[in-house]
């Protein structure tokens, strides 16, 4: 420790932040497909972050997709490959496709990019298969390579355009190497008809190219399905399925990655998906401007000695003069409780619209830095508090080895650390939300609840970092208060 901290002497090192301790709390929120409806409704009422979902392996996803393909293929009497293209283009809305088909069997459902062979359209109802290959009886010249070849060396797409198989193969390989799969269209100029999966596979000769194509096709099918989302974890093959496309928190049961189901980014409640994208883009663009506030050191407001923050709590105590103050605003902590609302809230200049362009630019930067500093501070606090938890585990292990209680006796500390991480994570994402909010009564209510949550989080953090001297009842009471503040804020402002 080089100056002051929140009552902790742990060493600091970089570690992943964000979801420390989340897994225990949320591990039971998966979806078994047969959950009791009343219980599910009760969970939704109590927990605004509750999400119903399941984690699927690749083979389970393929089975799920093939069920829709088989139903469409059977009802419309078309090949599975054409059924896949239709489902992919219509985002797997099976019932919508069937309804349109029943109303207008031959016209409205035929997508401009997905065509049957014109001469066979009338045979759809007769359950006649449609072959993607047209056999030529005589020799012809390929319009791509200009080579004259016998008819069996040509293949014809459903649009009627025919080219030699070697040219088709080279074209497909080139498209696949560029990452294209379901979007591969006809080689003919000005023709946008898509090549079905079976047509492409029948002309690809290299096993590695066939495998890559099938992997890309599967990826595209999953991405177009509104109920499916790939886990963003590194090298993870799990696909999350949820029947509701909402910004809900989901966790992969394989790699434990936590993310937002709607956008696939880090979970960001109460901020919505579009807002967090805007915020992260702005942070990346303005990162150099904000570099100066990324330092870990500040001066003690009383004795002015240089101090370093190496604990998660913002309640600081200078080791030199013992002055208690807030790390964010440097205000006296003794009177900070009544002024917390002012610490987290940005005070808008009511006359800024009448100022010069340069003054408005300075005010905009000042506002951004206010929110960015608090956003970044809570991100760092999450990392530091994760280190604190590791130190607590080490200390408790020594106590257990020395017969000073059992692991069960100390379990409440781990529960407190888990809840603290959850609360601080939510608090971190309140700052992008507040930054983009319009001024008015609703923003005032939000900032009030934000400040209340922040105050209780700092109290909880202070008690956890002094866990060995904190009364268990006092700690558990603080846990209850902090979680109620978090849930209240989410219920009022989380868009569901």
């Amino acid at each position: 420790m080089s100056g002051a901290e929140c009552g902790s002497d742990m060493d600091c090192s970089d570690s992943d932040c964000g979801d420390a301790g989340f897994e225990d709390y949320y591990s039971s929120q998966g979806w078994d497909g047969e959950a009791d409806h009343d219980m599910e409704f009760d969970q939704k009422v109590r927990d605004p972050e509750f999400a119903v979902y399941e984690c699927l392996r690749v083979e389970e996803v393929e089975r799920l997709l093939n069920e829709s393909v088989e139903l469409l293929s059977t009802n419309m009497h078309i090949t599975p490959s054409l059924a896949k293209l239709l489902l992919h283009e219509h985002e797997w809305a099976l019932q919508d496709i069937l309804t349109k088909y029943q109303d207008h069997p031959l016209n409205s459902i035929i997508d401009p990019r997905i065509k049957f062979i014109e001469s066979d359209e009338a045979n759809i109802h007769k359950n006649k298969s449609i072959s993607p290959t047209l056999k030529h009886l005589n020799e012809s010249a390929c319009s791509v390579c200009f080579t004259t070849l016998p008819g069996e060396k040509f293949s014809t797409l459903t649009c009627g355009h025919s080219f030699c198989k070697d040219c088709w193969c080279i074209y497909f390989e080139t498209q696949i190497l560029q990452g294209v799969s379901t979007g591969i269209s006809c080689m003919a100029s000005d023709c946008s008809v898509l090549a079905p999966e079976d047509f492409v596979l029948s002309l690809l000769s290299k096993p590695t190219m066939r495998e890559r194509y099938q992997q890309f096709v599967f990826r595209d099918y999953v991405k177009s399905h509104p109920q499916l989302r790939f886990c963003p974890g590194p090298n993870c093959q799990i696909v999350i399925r949820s029947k509701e496309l909402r910004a809900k928190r989901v966790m992969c049961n394989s790699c434990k990655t936590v993310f937002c189901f709607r956008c696939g980014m880090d979970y960001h409640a109460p901020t919505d998906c579009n807002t967090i994208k805007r915020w992260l883009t702005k942070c990346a663009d303005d990162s150099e401007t904000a570099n100066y506030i990324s330092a870990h050191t500040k001066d003690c407001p009383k004795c002015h000695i240089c101090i370093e923050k190496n604990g998660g709590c913002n309640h600081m105590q200078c080791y030199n003069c013992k002055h208690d103050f807030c790390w964010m605003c440097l205000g006296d902590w003794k009177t900070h409780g009544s002024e917390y609302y002012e610490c987290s809230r940005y005070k808008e200049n009511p006359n800024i619209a009448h100022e010069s362009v340069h003054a408005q630019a300075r005010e905009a930067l000042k506002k951004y830095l206010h929110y960015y500093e608090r956003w970044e501070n809570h991100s760092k606090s999450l990392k530091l508090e994760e280190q604190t938890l590791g130190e607590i585990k080490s200390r408790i292990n020594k106590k257990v080895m020395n017969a000073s209680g059992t692991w069960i006796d100390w379990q409440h500390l781990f529960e407190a650390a888990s809840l603290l991480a959850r609360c601080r994570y939510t608090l971190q994402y309140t700052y992008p939300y507040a930054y983009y909010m319009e001024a008015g009564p609703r923003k005032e209510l939000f900032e009030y609840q934000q400040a209340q949550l922040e105050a209780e989080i700092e109290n909880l953090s202070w008690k956890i970092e002094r866990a060995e001297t904190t009364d268990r009842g006092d700690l558990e009471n603080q846990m209850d208060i902090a979680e109620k503040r978090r849930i209240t804020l989410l219920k009022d402002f989380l868009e569901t």
Side-chain angles (χ1 to χ4, degrees):
M1 182 175 81
S2 60
E5 60 172 343
C6 190
S8 172
D9 57 359
M10 293 119 188
D11 295 329
C12 294
S13 61
D14 292 336
S15 60
D16 294 334
C17 71
D19 289 312
F22 279 0
E23 287 77 6
D24 293 340
Y25 178 75
Y26 287 105
S27 60
S28 62
Q29 297 209 30
W31 177 29
D32 60 8
E34 298 181 358
D36 181 81
H37 178 74
D38 293 335
M39 183 180 297
E40 178 183 320
F41 178 78
D42 183 57
Q43 285 181 286
K44 286 183 178 180
V45 170
R46 288 186 291 103
D47 184 2
E49 294 179 304
F50 174 76
V52 180
Y53 64 92
E54 59 181 335
C55 300
L56 304 177
R57 300 186 300 275
V58 171
E59 55 270 22
E60 292 174 314
V61 177
E62 290 177 338
R63 186 162 58 248
L64 175 70
L65 298 177
N66 286 335
E67 288 175 359
S68 297
V69 171
E70 184 178 351
L71 280 171
L72 188 61
S73 177
T74 301
N75 279 274
M76 290 186 60
H77 311 302
I78 58 177
T79 63
S81 288
L82 284 174
K84 287 180 180 178
L85 278 182
L86 279 172
L87 287 164
H88 174 66
E89 289 297 303
H90 291 78
E91 296 184 340
W92 297 84
L94 175 62
Q95 291 304 318
D96 290 347
I97 297 174
L98 291 175
T99 299
K100 291 179 181 179
Y101 171 68
Q102 290 168 0
D103 294 340
H104 303 281
L106 295 179
N107 297 319
S108 65
I109 192 59
I110 307 303
D111 191 290
R113 304 183 69 198
I114 305 170
K115 286 190 176 182
F116 307 110
I117 296 177
E118 186 176 353
S119 61
D120 285 332
E121 285 184 355
N123 294 327
I124 292 177
H125 294 294
K126 299 179 182 180
N127 198 19
K128 290 187 177 181
S129 61
I130 300 171
S131 172
T133 304
L134 183 65
K135 301 290 185 180
H136 293 262
L137 298 178
N138 302 316
E139 290 187 345
S140 299
C142 175
S143 59
V144 174
C145 64
F146 302 105
T147 303
T148 300
L149 299 167
E152 63 269 16
K153 295 293 185 179
F154 284 79
S155 285
T156 305
L157 197 55
T158 50
C159 55
H161 294 118
S162 182
F163 304 95
C164 74
K165 294 181 179 180
D166 288 342
C167 286
W168 277 119
C169 182
I170 294 172
Y171 170 67
F172 290 153
E173 288 182 354
T174 302
Q175 292 290 296
I176 294 166
L177 288 173
Q178 293 176 354
V180 184
S181 57
T182 54
I184 296 178
S185 59
C186 178
M187 277 197 292
S189 59
D190 300 325
C191 182
S192 61
V193 172
L194 297 173
E197 188 176 333
D198 58 355
F199 184 77
V200 176
L201 290 173
S202 69
L203 294 166
L204 288 174
S205 57
K206 299 177 182 177
T208 55
M209 198 61 65
R210 291 169 61 89
E211 182 180 358
R212 178 179 291 189
Y213 170 73
Q214 289 176 309
Q215 289 175 348
F216 287 170
V217 164
F218 177 74
R219 176 201 63 188
D220 286 355
Y221 289 159
V222 171
K223 287 184 176 181
S224 68
H225 200 300
Q227 294 184 9
L228 302 178
R229 172 76 66 179
F230 278 112
C231 171
N235 303 316
C236 185
Q237 301 298 312
I238 294 296
V239 175
I240 309 294
R241 182 194 179 195
S242 176
K243 291 187 176 181
E244 294 182 310
L245 181 56
R246 297 192 174 186
K248 291 290 187 175
R249 180 193 188 282
V250 295
M251 180 177 70
C252 175
N253 62 6
S254 177
C255 67
K256 305 304 180 184
T257 297
V258 177
F259 62 99
C260 169
F261 181 76
R262 170 175 276 175
C263 67
M265 301 172 65
D266 289 343
Y267 184 60
H268 46 72
T271 307
D272 63 79
C273 299
N274 291 331
T275 299
I276 196 61
K277 288 178 183 177
R278 290 172 62 194
W279 172 256
L280 293 176
T281 300
K282 182 172 183 60
C283 289
D285 293 342
D286 294 342
S287 59
E288 291 304 317
T289 306
N291 271 346
Y292 79 92
I293 62 174
S294 299
H296 291 279
T297 60
K298 293 184 179 182
D299 290 344
C300 170
K302 187 174 183 179
C303 69
H304 307 294
I305 194 170
C306 183
I307 60 175
E308 180 183 28
K309 183 177 189 288
N310 56 2
C313 182
N314 287 318
H315 177 179
M316 308 296 290
Q317 186 179 71
C318 176
Y319 80 98
N320 183 54
C321 67
K322 305 303 180 183
H323 177 59
D324 290 274
F325 61 96
C326 171
W327 173 259
M328 294 305 303
C329 67
L330 301 180
D332 191 324
W333 194 267
K334 293 179 181 178
T335 59
H336 199 258
S338 60
E339 299 174 353
Y340 223 100
Y341 176 58
E342 300 301 321
C343 177
S344 59
R345 172 179 179 265
Y346 180 75
K347 299 177 183 178
E348 301 275 0
N349 182 351
N351 300 314
I352 190 61
H354 304 291
E355 300 287 344
S356 67
V357 174
H358 293 295
Q360 291 182 27
R362 286 195 298 271
E363 180 68 18
L365 177 60
K366 181 181 176 182
K367 176 182 176 180
Y368 164 69
L369 292 177
H370 172 92
Y371 289 105
Y372 178 86
E373 181 176 13
R374 283 151 181 78
W375 153 272
E376 186 69 10
N377 175 66
H378 287 298
S379 175
K380 291 176 179 177
S381 290
L382 278 165
K383 294 180 182 180
L384 295 171
E385 284 165 349
E386 190 174 356
Q387 295 171 207
T388 299
L389 176 60
E391 184 68 16
I392 289 174
K393 287 181 179 180
S394 177
R395 291 175 180 174
I396 291 176
N397 187 51
K398 292 179 181 179
K399 289 180 177 293
V400 172
M401 295 297 292
N402 294 329
S404 298
T406 66
W407 277 102
I408 296 177
D409 297 326
W410 298 100
Q411 186 63 33
H412 67 285
L413 293 182
F414 301 118
E415 294 173 357
S418 174
L419 186 140
L420 174 61
R422 187 163 65 252
C423 289
R424 193 178 290 283
Y425 189 90
T426 298
L427 181 60
Q428 179 187 352
Y429 281 91
T430 63
Y431 284 99
Y433 190 98
Y435 177 76
Y436 288 104
M437 283 188 83
E438 295 291 337
R442 183 166 175 79
K443 183 172 184 179
E444 292 177 3
L445 174 62
F446 178 80
E447 289 179 328
Y448 173 78
Q449 293 191 12
Q450 178 191 50
Q452 294 296 308
L453 173 61
E454 187 159 9
E456 301 305 338
I457 285 175
E458 298 308 335
N459 289 338
L460 179 60
S461 180
W462 178 269
K463 294 177 188 298
I464 290 175
E465 291 188 0
R466 289 157 176 75
E468 295 175 53
T469 59
T470 300
D471 178 73
R472 176 172 179 173
D474 185 26
L475 181 60
E476 291 178 341
N477 181 61
Q478 186 61 45
M479 291 167 59
D480 183 62
I481 294 173
E483 179 65 352
K484 284 181 178 177
R485 296 290 191 193
R486 190 183 78 91
I487 294 297
T488 298
L489 185 147
L490 290 177
K491 281 185 176 181
D492 288 346
F493 295 95
L494 178 61
E495 294 183 9
T496 56

